[in-house]
Amino acid sequence: MRGITAMFGGDPVSGVHDLADFGLQVPTVALAIALGVVLSDTWRTRHGTSDG
């Protein structure tokens, strides 16, 4: 939101910088969540625990 509002508000440099930061943070968080799911599933499989 900050990047878009900065661009429309007349500060395109700040807007592009904020959008670039957002574009880096979203895949980083997605990869961290996916890695956590994979590792926790592996841990549960090795230790014999299950959710059901």
Side-chain angles (χ1 to χ4, degrees), residues 5-22:
T5 55
M7 290 180 78
F8 285 126
D11 188 9
V13 174
S14 177
V16 170
H17 185 266
D18 286 340
L19 288 175
D21 287 343
F22 176 75

Side-chain angles (χ1 to χ4, degrees), residues 21-44:
D21 287 343
F22 176 75
L24 180 64
Q25 291 171 0
V26 169
T28 302
V29 170
L31 286 173
I33 291 171
L35 183 62
V37 168
V38 168
L39 291 176
S40 67
D41 188 47
T42 303
W43 187 87
R44 278 188 301 217

